[in-house]
Amino acid sequence: MKVAIIGGGAAGFFAALSARYHDPSSDIIILERSAKVLSKVKISGGGRCNVTNACFDNRRLAAHYPRGENFLKKAFEQFSAVSTVEWFEKRGVRLKTYPDNCMFPVSNDSQTIINCFVQEAVSGKITVKTNAPIRRIAICEGGFSLRLDEEELYADRVIVAIGGQPKMSGLVWLSDLGHTIIPPVPSLFTFNMPDNPIRELMGNVVENVTVRVEGTKLKGNGPLLITHWGMSGPAILQLSAWGARILSEKEYNFAILVNWLNEQTEEQVRIVLHTSVRDHAAKMMVNLNPFPVTGKLWQHLLWRSGIPEDLRWKDLQGKNLNKLANTLINDRYSVTGKTTFKEEFVTAGGVSLLEVDVRTMQSKIIPGLFFAGEVMDIDGITGGFNFQAAWTTGWIAGKSVSLNA
Ligand SMILES: Cc1cc2nc3c(=O)[nH]c(=O)nc-3n(C[C@H](O)[C@H](O)[C@H](O)COP(=O)(O)OP(=O)(O)OC[C@H]3O[C@@H](n4cnc5c(N)ncnc54)[C@H](O)[C@@H]3O)c2cc1C
């Protein structure tokens, strides 16, 4: 049996290795558009490759996917984060877990993952053809005819693993086959705040903030990083992922409300403020910061609240106190535009999951056609979740191509 895998990325390679594992006799070819395979794996995680996440409960793992949660919950029953760790360990690649649960190869080098895949592909006699962009697929005589620029290839089974496509045009040949495409929009981006003085605090990190998008139910938690163009960090990236579609509809013009003290309420903040008034009456406010924010940010928040630089704690009252309490827990910033997060970005949207059988990754529309990876309407937040989805769906697709022979 001839199996063609379109796309030599994370999902395509894993699907090929799984296909070989489950069927030693099939003829497997990976067709990669560019001159190099696994190029995203190479640059992933800042060159270290965040392979997966040490979240070993499938239900909790699935909750990290703004799109695809229910689908993946079922898929993880076949290949979970535990399976990923075991798969790599069996092939001599040990993974290390960091305090945030992200798992990287012990070597801290994405090349370790690439070497492992390439060695496995060579020993499994998998053919890899680069500079081989597939322009069209046609159904023919119990199989498929794949149109390349200058040739046509035949395959009995096809796994489509072309990754996230930023434009609808990249998916037209799949919609031509009858598949519904959920329009692609970017996910995992940072927020631009041109001209906002907060940018002068670039490099400042607040460990635990809550950020809401005004007028929506969107909420992100975690560290926030102030950058020279606006805001980034896990709290912002989470928001960008969960809100990928809503924020795209708003054309990336919206307001956020930052609670610099995570989930603290106004009442709790007022208690801290009154305690400082009582205990540090003679001290200048700027010199005594009772909150877990950096000194520079504290100074900035006092300025944003209109508090004079030389105000002493004993003089904090009335309007000033109300304004400061509000700034600390409900600080409003206008966002105009986004910047793609350098460390990891993905595309929300793609082939509708309603048309893919989760048990096999086979198309419900065209028998013999399978999907793996980000080409489907699946994406996760940062932390190794996107690769985990690629491994899981690739594994199932690779296993199923042979079972369905
Ligand atoms: C900078 C960066 C860093 C990242 N870091 C991480 C990380 O550390 N951890 C994590 O979990 N996720 C990370 N991600 C996300 C992760 O890389 C993707 O989710 C993952 O690569 C998706 O795998 P895929 O195989 O579906 O797609 P891809 O890896 O994008 O592979 C698709 C392949 O298909 C090829 N292709 C496309 N069209 C055709 C065609 N018509 N014919 C032939 N070939 C075609 C492409 O050239 C590509 O090689 C990162 C993403 C980026 C951009």
Side-chain angles (χ1 to χ4, degrees):
M1 184 176 64
K2 273 183 183 287
V3 177
I5 293 155
I6 310 180
F13 251 81
F14 214 71
L17 300 181
S18 165
R20 170 56 72 241
Y21 178 81
H22 290 99
D23 179 4
S25 66
S26 56
D27 182 359
I28 303 169
I29 183 167
I30 297 176
L31 299 158
E32 166 55 44
R33 172 179 61 184
S34 68
K36 268 196 184 150
V37 293
L38 297 165
S39 44
K40 267 198 202 165
V41 172
K42 178 74 184 163
I43 57 168
S44 66
R48 294 165 61 218
C49 188
N50 184 184
V51 175
T52 187
N53 193 285
C55 178
F56 299 135
D57 175 283
N58 289 345
R59 194 171 281 271
R60 280 205 306 117
L61 181 63
H64 293 87
Y65 296 83
R67 281 138 302 261
E69 176 176 354
N70 289 332
F71 185 88
L72 285 172
K73 211 184 289 167
K74 294 190 194 113
F76 289 147
E77 286 169 17
Q78 289 195 57
F79 196 90
S80 62
V82 176
S83 320
T84 302
V85 176
E86 284 172 1
W87 191 95
F88 281 103
E89 272 186 0
K90 263 191 202 150
R91 285 150 186 92
V93 178
R94 281 194 23 252
L95 303 179
K96 182 177 168 186
T97 309
Y98 284 77
D100 57 0
N101 272 357
C102 291
M103 299 189 81
F104 291 85
V106 168
S107 66
N108 261 330
D109 185 354
S110 58
Q111 193 60 42
T112 306
I113 304 298
I114 297 177
N115 292 347
C116 168
F117 284 176
V118 171
Q119 270 162 25
E120 288 280 313
V122 169
S123 62
K125 298 199 167 42
I126 292 168
T127 310
V128 178
K129 189 172 164 78
T130 51
N131 297 309
I134 299 302
R135 305 292 182 200
R136 207 170 52 82
I137 310 183
I139 301 163
C140 69
E141 299 150 27
F144 299 89
S145 157
L146 309 181
R147 177 94 217 128
L148 282 88
D149 278 338
E150 280 165 8
E151 58 181 313
E152 198 125 351
L153 290 177
Y154 173 83
D156 297 299
R157 302 277 184 273
V158 172
I159 301 177
V160 179
I162 58 169
Q165 300 292 312
K167 293 207 179 114
M168 202 66 174
S169 55
L171 296 155
V172 165
W173 52 282
L174 291 173
S175 62
D176 284 351
L177 286 173
H179 269 282
T180 307
I181 307 296
I182 310 296
V185 292
S187 179
L188 300 180
F189 47 83
T190 64
F191 296 172
N192 292 358
M193 300 171 178
D195 308 325
N196 193 307
I198 188 88
R199 296 175 314 134
E200 284 161 25
L201 301 182
M202 67 176 168
N204 276 249
V205 176
V206 186
E207 281 307 328
N208 243 322
V209 301
T210 301
V211 188
R212 291 184 173 76
V213 175
E214 196 177 63
T216 73
K217 289 189 176 148
L218 294 169
K219 190 170 102 171
N221 282 101
L224 182 145
L225 166 70
I226 299 167
T227 66
H228 70 274
W229 63 89
M231 290 182 188
S232 179
I236 298 294
L237 293 167
Q238 257 181 44
L239 262 189
S240 79
W242 291 101
R245 209 155 285 285
I246 297 178
L247 302 181
S248 156
E249 280 158 16
K250 290 180 181 292
E251 294 178 342
Y252 308 105
N253 284 303
F254 53 93
I256 55 168
L257 301 165
V258 182
N259 183 336
W260 295 105
L261 306 173
N262 198 13
E263 298 279 14
Q264 279 199 41
T265 61
E266 184 169 341
E267 205 183 6
Q268 290 169 313
V269 171
R270 280 178 181 276
I271 292 172
V272 178
L273 291 175
H274 285 301
T275 308
S276 296
V277 169
R278 189 192 61 208
D279 295 351
H280 307 293
K283 294 220 167 90
M284 297 240 276
M285 288 186 69
V286 72
N287 293 335
L288 193 127
N289 163 18
F291 296 106
V293 297
T294 60
K296 280 214 167 116
L297 181 59
W298 171 240
Q299 212 176 333
H300 181 80
L301 296 177
L302 290 174
W303 170 80
R304 265 176 87 74
S305 310
I307 296 194
E309 263 179 43
D310 54 356
L311 197 78
R312 291 176 195 276
W313 275 104
K314 66 180 164 53
D315 298 319
L316 178 70
Q317 50 191 298
K319 242 197 225 161
N320 276 346
L321 191 141
N322 293 341
K323 189 82 203 318
L324 179 58
N326 190 56
T327 306
L328 283 160
I329 61 163
N330 213 18
D331 201 8
R332 187 177 186 280
Y333 292 86
S334 294
V335 177
T336 39
K338 61 167 174 41
T339 299
T340 307
F341 181 51
K342 281 197 299 293
E343 297 295 313
E344 178 173 345
F345 51 86
V346 290
T347 309
V351 172
S352 167
L353 298 178
L354 297 175
E355 297 166 355
V356 182
D357 182 346
V358 67
R359 292 163 306 170
T360 58
M361 298 298 145
Q362 184 166 206
S363 160
K364 289 182 184 169
I365 295 177
I366 299 165
L369 186 72
F370 297 75
F371 296 100
E374 215 182 299
V375 65
M376 291 185 280
D377 185 22
I378 290 177
D379 60 274
I381 59 172
T382 56
F385 302 105
N386 284 300
F387 278 142
Q388 183 56 52
W391 315 140
T392 296
T393 54
W395 176 262
I396 298 174
K399 176 178 162 187
S400 314
V401 273
S402 44
L403 294 181
N404 280 276

